[in-house]
């Protein structure tokens, strides 16, 4: 076993082994219980980021844990075509060459994207392999491959023929940059500083007027009404009257609507039904006209000539200036309001009336709510259940068509005449081009130009990966569906999770997964979301190259509390790497001391308190970790393992064991090494889901001459029963004494290499036997050569004392240190620390310093101040003993 752990060589070795050995391949097996996870397929937009690493490491941990438990596990890999996101990336590359997709044409542009796909998909899958992901690589799927495309088309035709998919003109979200419609959940909102403009709207044939407050004066030409709250006494007399629209003098009505906020602006709002969601609803309730004034390019249409063709931004400035000139602009006020933006390119969204394909999801949503309300599907953490249900209750029909080229072409065909004009025949949904129109018997057809929303194929992912719709006798689908758990971030709970539940219930009459484990997003150490613009992106592959995959995985696991965002930094990875090295070094100690000893007894029998204690602690840890894993509290599992291995196994038990390992009693040596190896094997299986590379390597060394060479196999890990509570209580007494003596030695600056005597003044007799029976542990770990037990011992300046439980412990000073020299040294340290405190306080009381200093610098000064104060306190306590 090498002295230094070479993570680079070992990680390459085992990543290749798991793939070549097909360790994680799965087939239906009636004698085993399946446990299935489908990967949230990453978009083929580029390389994986830390969010992907978080998501996939958590899935891998769960799969490996279940495999050790004996389940027939399947973790199915794949990638997503990414629709708008991927097309945008490829278009940016074309732009650098001075080209657009229109220069290439649809066919050649799609060829470019397929080439892009082959490069990026390969890179993504290799990154997952480098992470150590235990996926069944033979089942790798892509949302636009042949089988997935068949599933998409079949589901669309089914929904269309059922009457759930329809064509309609409705208000939709439109991204002018991407030139496509977006569903409501593809729109993000940001607060921006802008203005609130107050404009006069005069009543017809009257000197009276109403002042309307608006954030969008450029849409004034699309106004078809002004709305007020019916309970607003200021406007009661105006309801139902006619008002004159500024600039074009069109007559519009004043209507009453309860949704109008009386406190916003003046309490009177302009209604532009063609370009505002709320206004559109008010218009429907009050039978107001709809006038479209913005087109798909974000330019003005159906407006006076001088505004026609202007961009929205330019038109706004010109209209505000004209209103001001005419005396109609009362005032302009600073205002922060929510702006809708494209979730992919962050361009401001325009709300436009547009002909699109919609999916009626009313009944689907109700079913998706019921299965969660009835706990057929469980959420971890459960707090996300409420927001999921609330969102589905308010969900409108899904706009599923997109005006881009990359995606699943909608399988709708239109009957055309000889001039290639569409006839008035009903559109036909078909898996292939129809041979004849059932309405007019025509034989010429053209396919719809639009593609489906990328989330449509994603919603089918849990069934399409098992080739749903290919044949009736689908063994994989019958055995592995529904899947066991979906692991995903809260940012796509609505975009994806809800859609999969809707489609699973619609097409399979069953849920797609039993559990939903929701994690947060990765943030930097200041709590900021990682982004290229902030320059705080952490590349997981760079971390792997620097610290190793196991260090990355442990950092993620230790911080991934369900539903909460995680903060990571280089310090986190460094700490995890130290833990990896600790596992290697401790294992190496055990293995090297076990060489040339002969066969070990597999029937573990404790012979000392330390043996009983560590086996009892192991039992507790195993049971706790099992519970944590099963409830998806992976962060808690990681911390339990860390604490047991580093503190209990290494810091305590290995140190206790050195007494017998160094002895000449071969039987005692074999006995303690048997326990050390026994526990190490348990630890390796416990930690292997989180840190598979080092666990697998050490396991193979421990079991090189046995048939049990694979750590990822069903184990007796959770059949352990050795919970000796009494030994834990007894050991607590010994540990407290050792810690107390170590603390006293440190405070008095007694060298660790100097062995001293100790006097135990017995205050009560109840625990005396435990200490006497185990004084060898105290001597070994506290560097004590003799312990004398006594009663009624009096305090003296020659001794330093502390009380622990039933004992007052005395340590002699004169023989251990030069008291006068130590007093002088400690006095100097106090003076230095007090100076540090004085400087820190001066800085923190300096207003100019606080105003100009960075937050991190101020935080560091405060930490140093607290540390200096604590240091002074401890030194003064030590000086009291020396006086």
């Amino acid at each position: 076993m090498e002295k230094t752990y070479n993570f680079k060589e070992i990680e390459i070795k085992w990543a290749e082994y798991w793939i070549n050995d097909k360790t994680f391949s799965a087939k239906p097996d009636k004698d085993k219980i399946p446990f299935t996870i489908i990967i949230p397929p990453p978009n083929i937009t580029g390389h994986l980021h830390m969010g992907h690493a978080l998501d996939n490491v958590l899935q891998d941990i769960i799969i490996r844990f279940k495999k050790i438990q004996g389940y027939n596990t399947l973790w199915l890999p794949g990638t997503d075509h990414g629709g708008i996101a991927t097309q945008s990336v490829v278009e940016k590359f074309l732009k650098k060459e001075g080209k657009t997709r229109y220069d290439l044409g649809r066919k050649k542009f799609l060829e470019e994207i397929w080439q892009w796909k082959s490069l990026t998909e390969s890179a993504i899958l290799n990154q997952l392999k480098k992470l150590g992901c235990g996926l069944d690589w033979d089942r790798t799927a892509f949302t636009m491959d042949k089988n997935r495309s068949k599933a998409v088309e079949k589901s669309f035709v089914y929904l269309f023929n059922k009457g759930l998919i329809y064509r309609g003109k409705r208000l939709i979200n439109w991204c002018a940059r991407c030139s496509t419609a977006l569903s409501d959940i593809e729109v993000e909102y940001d607060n921006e500083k802008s203005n609130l403009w107050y404009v006069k709207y005069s009543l017809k044939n009257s000197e009276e007027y109403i002042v309307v407050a608006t954030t969008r004066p450029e849409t004034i030409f699309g106004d078809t009404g002004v709305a007020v709250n019916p309970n607003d006494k200021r406007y009661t007399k105006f309801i139902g009257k006619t008002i004159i629209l500024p600039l074009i003098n069109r007559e519009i009505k004043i209507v009453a609507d309860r949704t109008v906020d009386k406190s916003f602006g003046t309490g009177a709002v302009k209604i532009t039904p063609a370009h505002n969601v709320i206004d559109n609803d008010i218009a429907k309730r009050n039978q107001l006209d709809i006038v479209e004034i913005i087109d798909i390019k974000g330019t003005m249409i159906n407006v006076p000539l001088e505004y026609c063709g202007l961009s929205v931004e330019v038109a706004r400035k010109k209209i505000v200036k004209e209103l001001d000139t005419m005396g109609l602009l009362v005032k302009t006020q600073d205002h922060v309001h929510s702006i809708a933006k494209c979730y992919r390119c962050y361009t401001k969204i325009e709300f436009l009336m547009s002909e699109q394909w919609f999916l009626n999801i009313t009944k689907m949503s109700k079913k998706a709510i019921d299965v969660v309300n009835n706990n057929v599907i469980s959420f971890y953490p459960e707090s996300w259940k409420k927001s999921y249900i609330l969102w589905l209750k308010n969900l409108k029909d899904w706009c599923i068509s997109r005006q881009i080229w990359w995606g699943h072409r909608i399988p709708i065909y239109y009957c055309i005449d000889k001039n290639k004009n569409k006839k008035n025949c009903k559109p036909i949904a078909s898996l292939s081009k129809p041979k004849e129109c059932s309405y007019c018997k025509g034989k010429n057809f053209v396919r719809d130009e639009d593609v489906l929303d990328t989330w449509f194929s994603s919603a089918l992912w849990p069934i399409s990966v098992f080739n749903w719709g290919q044949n009736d006798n689908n063994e994989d689908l019958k055995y592995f569906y529904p899947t066991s758990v979906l692991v995903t971030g809260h940012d796509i709970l609505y975009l994806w999770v809800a859609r999969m539940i809707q489609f699973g219930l619609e097409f399979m009459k069953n849920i797609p997964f039993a559990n939903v484990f929701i994690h947060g997003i990765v943030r930097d150490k200041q709590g900021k979301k990682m982004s290229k613009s902030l320059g705080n992106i952490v590349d997981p592959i760079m971390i792997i190259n620097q610290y190793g995959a196991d260090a990355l995985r442990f950092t993620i696991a230790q911080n991934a509390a369900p539903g909460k965002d995680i903060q990571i930094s280089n310090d986190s990875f460094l700490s995890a790497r130290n833990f990896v090295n600790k596992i290697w070094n401790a294992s190496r100690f055990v293995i090297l001391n076990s060489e040339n000893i002969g066969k070990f007894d597999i029937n573990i029998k404790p012979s000392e308190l330390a043996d009983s204690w560590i086996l009892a602690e192991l039992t507790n840890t195993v049971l706790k970790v099992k519970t944590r894993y099963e409830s998806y509290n992976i962060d808690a599992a990681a911390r339990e393992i860390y604490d047991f291995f580093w503190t209990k196994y290494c810091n305590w038990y290995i140190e206790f064991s050195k007494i017998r390992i160094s002895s000449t009693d071969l039987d005692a040596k074999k006995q303690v090494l048997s326990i050390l190896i026994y526990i190490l094997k348990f630890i390796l299986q416990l930690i292997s889901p989180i840190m598979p590379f080092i666990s697998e390597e050490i396991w193979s060394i421990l079991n090189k001459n046995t048939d049990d060479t694979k750590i990822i196999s069903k184990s007796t890990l959770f059949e352990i029963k050795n919970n000796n509570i009494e030994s834990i209580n007894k050991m607590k007494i010994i540990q407290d004494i050792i810690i107390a003596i170590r603390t006293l030695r440190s405070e008095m600056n007694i060298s660790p290499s100097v062995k001293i005597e100790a006097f135990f003044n017995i205050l009560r007799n109840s625990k005396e036997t435990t200490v006497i029976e185990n004084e060898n542990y105290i001597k070994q770990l506290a560097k004590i050569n003799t312990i004398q037990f006594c009663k009624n011992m009096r305090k003296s300046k020659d001794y330093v004392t502390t009380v622990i439980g039933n004992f007052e412990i005395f340590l002699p000073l004169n023989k251990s240190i030069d008291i006068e020299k130590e007093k002088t040294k400690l006095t100097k340290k106090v003076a230095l620390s007090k100076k540090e405190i004085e400087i820190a306080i001066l800085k923190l009381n300096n207003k100019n310093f606080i105003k100009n200093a960075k937050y991190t610098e101020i935080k560091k000064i405060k930490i140093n101040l607290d540390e200096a104060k604590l240091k002074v306190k401890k030194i003064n306590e030590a000086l009291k003993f020396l006086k």
Side-chain angles (χ1 to χ4, degrees):
M1 196 171 177
E2 296 293 332
K3 186 176 181 180
T4 304
Y5 178 59
N6 188 332
F7 69 82
K8 290 183 178 179
E9 285 184 11
I10 288 169
E11 288 177 3
I12 291 170
K13 167 188 168 181
W14 286 107
E16 290 177 354
Y17 173 82
W18 294 322
I19 294 168
N20 296 332
D21 181 61
K22 295 189 181 296
T23 304
F24 295 96
S25 294
K27 293 179 181 178
D29 185 343
K30 293 179 182 178
D31 296 327
K32 288 186 175 182
I33 301 170
F35 189 93
T36 315
I37 299 178
I38 52 161
I39 193 171
N43 288 343
I44 54 163
T45 48
H47 297 289
L48 299 183
H49 52 65
M50 193 56 74
H52 291 114
L54 165 66
D55 194 59
N56 288 289
V57 165
L58 293 178
Q59 291 172 79
D60 192 50
I61 290 169
I62 295 165
I63 279 291
R64 288 174 179 272
F65 168 70
K66 288 297 179 181
K67 196 167 186 68
I68 288 174
Q69 282 189 302
Y71 285 86
N72 185 17
T73 60
L74 170 62
W75 185 20
L76 208 147
T79 53
D80 195 297
H81 65 281
I84 296 172
T86 303
Q87 178 164 313
S88 296
V89 170
V90 176
E91 282 188 287
K92 284 179 183 177
F93 277 98
L94 286 176
K95 190 176 181 180
K96 291 178 182 177
E97 298 173 4
K99 298 177 184 176
T100 69
R101 59 174 160 140
Y102 302 103
D103 295 328
L104 272 66
R106 187 166 192 153
K107 185 179 178 182
K108 286 190 176 181
F109 179 71
L110 292 179
E111 287 174 1
E112 286 280 332
I113 300 186
W114 277 106
Q115 287 180 19
W116 169 269
K117 178 259 180 189
S118 64
L119 292 172
T120 55
E121 183 181 56
S122 176
I124 287 167
L125 298 180
N126 284 332
Q127 285 177 300
L128 291 173
K129 290 171 185 175
K130 199 162 186 177
L131 269 172
C133 294
L135 291 146
D136 186 346
W137 298 104
D138 294 333
R139 293 176 177 268
T140 304
F142 176 57
T143 51
M144 274 181 65
D145 64 25
K146 185 179 178 181
N147 289 340
R148 262 44 66 187
S149 294
K150 282 183 179 178
V152 168
E153 290 183 346
K154 184 171 182 177
S155 62
F156 183 95
V157 172
Y158 167 85
L159 293 169
F160 181 88
N161 291 334
K162 197 176 177 181
L164 294 175
I165 290 177
Y166 63 93
R167 183 85 169 167
K169 188 170 185 178
R170 285 178 38 183
L171 192 68
I172 54 97
N173 309 295
W174 183 265
C175 175
R177 200 216 70 82
C178 296
S179 298
T180 185
L182 300 172
S183 66
D184 289 342
I185 49 180
E186 291 174 309
V187 176
E188 294 182 350
Y189 289 86
D190 281 339
N191 286 332
E192 284 192 4
K193 291 180 180 179
S194 182
N195 297 110
L196 198 57
W197 288 272
Y198 290 76
V199 182
K200 289 181 183 179
Y201 282 57
S202 299
L203 269 72
K204 183 182 178 181
N205 300 325
S206 172
E207 294 295 318
E208 290 185 286
Y209 60 85
I210 286 179
V211 176
V212 172
T214 179
T215 58
R216 297 203 68 184
E218 70 274 14
T219 62
I220 196 167
F221 300 122
D223 292 357
T224 58
V226 168
V228 296
N229 192 296
N231 297 319
D232 194 335
K233 294 178 180 179
R234 293 173 296 175
Y235 302 113
T236 305
K237 66 177 182 177
F238 296 118
I239 295 172
K241 292 188 176 182
T242 301
I243 204 166
I244 304 300
L245 188 63
L247 302 184
I248 55 173
N249 298 325
R250 186 168 66 229
E251 294 183 3
I252 57 176
K253 291 286 185 183
I254 300 173
V255 298
D257 196 278
R258 293 185 184 278
T259 61
V260 176
D261 182 358
K262 292 187 287 184
S263 64
F264 177 78
T266 62
V269 293
K270 62 196 245 3
I271 304 302
T272 317
H275 303 289
N276 183 281
V277 176
I278 296 172
D279 290 3
N280 192 268
D281 290 337
I282 293 174
K284 288 175 184 176
R285 287 192 290 271
N286 292 277
Q287 294 83 48
L288 300 179
D289 293 334
I290 294 176
V291 177
E292 298 174 51
I293 58 160
I294 302 172
D295 66 7
I296 60 173
K297 294 179 182 178
T299 57
M300 307 298 288
I301 58 171
N302 302 324
V303 294
L305 192 60
E306 62 267 34
Y307 300 100
C308 198
L310 297 179
S311 69
V312 167
E313 289 77 14
V314 173
R316 173 184 294 176
K317 291 176 182 177
K318 191 169 183 177
I319 288 168
V320 169
K321 186 178 180 180
E322 184 66 17
L323 289 169
D324 192 26
T325 301
M326 295 176 67
L328 298 175
L329 185 63
V330 178
K331 66 175 179 176
T332 302
Q333 182 178 300
D334 290 340
H335 180 68
V336 176
H337 67 127
S338 187
I339 300 291
K341 293 183 178 180
C342 174
Y343 82 121
R344 284 302 177 189
C345 70
Y346 304 109
T347 301
K348 289 181 182 179
I349 291 296
E350 284 296 345
F351 300 99
L352 306 179
M353 297 298 296
S354 176
E355 283 276 350
Q356 300 287 341
W357 288 101
F358 294 90
L359 173 61
N360 185 328
I361 43 76
T362 306
K363 290 182 179 179
M364 288 187 200
S365 293
K366 186 182 183 305
K367 291 176 183 176
I369 290 170
D370 289 344
V371 292
V372 172
N373 268 334
N374 297 328
N375 297 317
V376 180
I377 294 177
S378 299
F379 280 75
Y380 296 86
E382 195 178 9
S383 55
W384 285 100
K385 175 178 171 180
K386 185 177 180 181
S387 57
Y388 162 88
I389 291 170
L390 183 64
W391 180 78
L392 279 174
K393 282 182 177 178
N394 295 307
L395 190 60
K396 296 179 181 178
D397 286 356
W398 180 8
C399 176
I400 57 173
S401 49
R402 299 290 180 271
Q403 290 66 51
I404 58 175
W405 291 350
W406 176 243
H408 294 278
R409 190 97 170 257
I410 291 177
I412 286 287
Y413 293 86
Y414 302 98
C415 187
I416 56 173
D417 59 25
K418 291 179 181 180
N419 296 320
K420 296 185 179 181
N421 296 316
K422 292 178 186 177
K423 295 182 182 179
N424 290 327
C425 303
K426 290 182 180 179
I428 301 167
S430 177
L431 299 178
S432 59
K433 193 174 183 178
K435 293 180 180 179
E436 183 179 84
C437 176
S438 58
Y439 303 102
C440 72
K441 306 303 179 185
K443 300 186 185 300
N444 296 316
F445 297 90
V446 64
R447 190 168 179 171
D448 198 301
E449 291 287 321
D450 290 352
V451 299
L452 285 165
D453 177 7
T454 190
W455 296 102
F456 189 96
S457 56
S458 298
L460 290 166
W461 189 245
I463 60 175
S464 69
V465 291
F466 297 116
N467 300 324
W468 171 82
Q470 309 297 310
N471 59 72
D472 295 330
N473 189 27
N474 191 326
E475 290 300 320
D476 277 355
L477 194 58
K478 290 176 184 176
Y479 182 78
F480 291 113
Y481 187 94
T483 65
S484 306
V485 60
L486 177 78
V487 181
T488 187
H490 56 65
D491 52 333
I492 54 172
L493 175 62
Y494 314 123
L495 277 167
W496 190 42
V497 179
R499 300 297 195 199
M500 284 189 287
I501 296 172
Q502 289 174 327
F503 274 23
L505 294 169
E506 181 66 30
F507 296 110
M508 294 296 295
K509 312 304 177 192
N510 201 351
I511 57 172
F513 28 74
N515 301 297
V516 180
F517 170 28
I518 298 171
H519 57 74
I521 60 173
V522 183
R523 298 182 180 276
D524 67 14
K525 62 182 178 181
Q526 273 81 41
K528 293 178 181 176
K529 187 175 179 179
M530 290 188 177
S531 69
K532 288 180 182 178
S533 60
L534 291 174
N536 60 353
I537 291 287
V538 177
D539 181 356
I541 299 304
M542 285 181 64
I543 297 300
I544 289 173
N545 292 337
Q546 187 175 357
Y547 299 103
D550 279 335
L552 170 68
R553 291 169 64 105
F554 187 78
T555 300
I556 287 171
Q558 196 178 30
N559 290 281
K564 295 182 180 178
D565 294 347
I566 73 171
Q567 292 177 227
I568 55 173
S569 65
N570 278 340
D571 291 342
S572 310
F573 301 117
L574 182 61
S575 174
R577 188 188 66 183
N578 292 341
F579 184 43
V580 173
N581 290 335
K582 185 77 170 180
I583 294 170
W584 182 260
N585 294 335
S587 301
R588 186 172 182 272
F589 171 82
V590 173
I591 290 168
L592 290 181
N593 279 287
S594 303
E595 288 178 353
N596 306 317
I597 295 288
K599 259 194 169 182
F600 290 99
D601 189 355
I602 58 171
N603 296 313
I604 301 301
K605 295 175 183 176
S607 63
E608 295 184 4
L609 172 62
D611 301 339
S612 300
W613 165 75
I614 195 65
L615 290 169
E617 289 286 10
L618 175 66
T619 300
N620 287 343
T621 301
V622 168
L623 295 174
K624 284 178 183 176
V625 171
K626 176 178 180 284
T627 302
R628 305 294 191 221
Y629 275 143
E630 289 181 340
S631 61
Y632 308 112
N633 286 293
I634 290 168
D635 60 317
R639 289 193 293 273
E640 292 282 358
I641 296 165
Y642 180 93
D643 179 62
F644 176 82
F645 183 80
W646 195 299
T647 306
K648 297 182 177 75
Y649 184 72
C650 293
N651 290 357
W652 288 107
Y653 189 68
I654 285 181
E655 293 305 312
F656 289 146
S657 73
K658 287 177 180 178
I659 302 170
R660 282 175 280 175
I661 289 173
S662 60
S663 74
T664 56
D665 186 340
L666 186 61
D667 289 336
K669 186 174 183 178
K670 283 181 71 173
Q671 193 269 345
V672 73
L673 284 166
S674 294
I675 294 175
L676 281 165
I677 291 170
Y678 173 81
I679 293 170
L680 180 57
K681 286 185 177 181
F682 270 97
I683 294 166
L684 291 173
Q685 285 198 316
L686 278 179
I687 197 67
S688 66
I690 297 173
M691 304 167 83
F693 294 103
I694 191 170
S695 302
E696 192 83 72
E697 179 68 13
I698 297 171
W699 183 272
S700 68
I701 295 169
L702 280 169
N703 295 280
K704 60 184 176 183
N705 296 319
T706 71
D707 296 328
D708 195 18
T709 55
K710 289 184 179 181
I711 196 170
I712 306 171
S713 58
K714 186 175 180 181
S715 71
T716 57
L717 182 59
F718 304 111
E719 296 171 15
I720 184 170
K721 292 177 183 176
N722 192 331
N723 200 1
N724 188 336
I725 298 296
E726 187 183 357
S727 67
I728 294 174
N729 294 334
K730 285 183 177 180
M731 183 53 75
K732 179 73 166 56
I733 297 167
I734 304 301
Q735 288 170 330
D736 286 347
I737 290 171
I738 292 169
I739 291 167
I741 294 174
R742 283 174 169 175
T743 302
L744 280 180
R745 291 182 66 122
S746 175
E747 289 173 350
M748 293 297 105
N749 205 24
I750 301 172
S751 172
S753 62
V754 176
K755 285 199 170 186
I756 59 174
E757 60 183 338
F759 297 87
F760 281 38
N761 193 27
I762 301 169
L763 304 178
R764 290 179 292 277
N765 293 327
S766 58
K767 307 297 180 183
E768 182 182 352
T769 306
T770 298
V771 177
I772 293 172
E773 289 175 350
N774 298 284
E775 65 176 272
N776 60 323
Y777 296 144
I778 299 170
K779 289 177 180 178
Q780 173 77 7
L781 272 68
K783 302 295 181 183
I784 302 294
N785 51 25
T786 59
I787 297 176
Q788 294 188 38
F789 294 92
C790 51
K791 293 183 180 179
N792 304 317
M793 187 173 177
R794 295 182 179 181
K795 290 183 179 180
S796 163
K797 65 178 182 178
D798 296 327
Y799 294 88
V800 61
T801 66
T802 187
V803 176
I804 293 295
N806 300 321
F807 299 95
E808 187 176 22
I809 299 171
F810 289 76
L811 300 183
L813 289 175
N814 289 333
K815 296 178 183 179
S816 308
I817 60 171
D818 184 328
I819 294 177
E820 290 305 317
K821 189 176 178 181
E822 191 63 27
K823 282 165 68 175
T824 302
K825 187 162 60 173
L826 291 176
T827 303
K828 286 181 179 179
K829 284 185 177 180
V830 168
L832 284 171
S833 294
K834 284 183 175 179
K835 189 67 178 175
E836 288 176 15
I837 291 169
E838 185 182 333
I839 292 168
I841 291 172
L842 282 171
K843 282 186 176 180
L844 294 174
N845 288 336
N846 186 326
K847 291 181 180 179
N848 287 330
F849 173 78
I850 296 295
K851 183 180 178 181
N852 298 313
K854 291 182 179 178
Y855 166 77
T856 51
E857 187 180 356
I858 295 169
K859 187 178 178 182
K860 189 177 180 180
I861 291 170
K862 287 181 178 178
I863 291 170
N864 290 340
L865 175 62
D866 291 339
E867 288 176 351
K869 286 179 178 178
L870 183 62
K871 194 174 181 181
V872 168
K873 183 183 177 183
K874 285 189 174 183
I875 294 172
N876 283 333
E877 286 173 357
L879 283 168
K880 282 181 184 178
F881 284 117
L882 298 174
K883 287 179 180 178

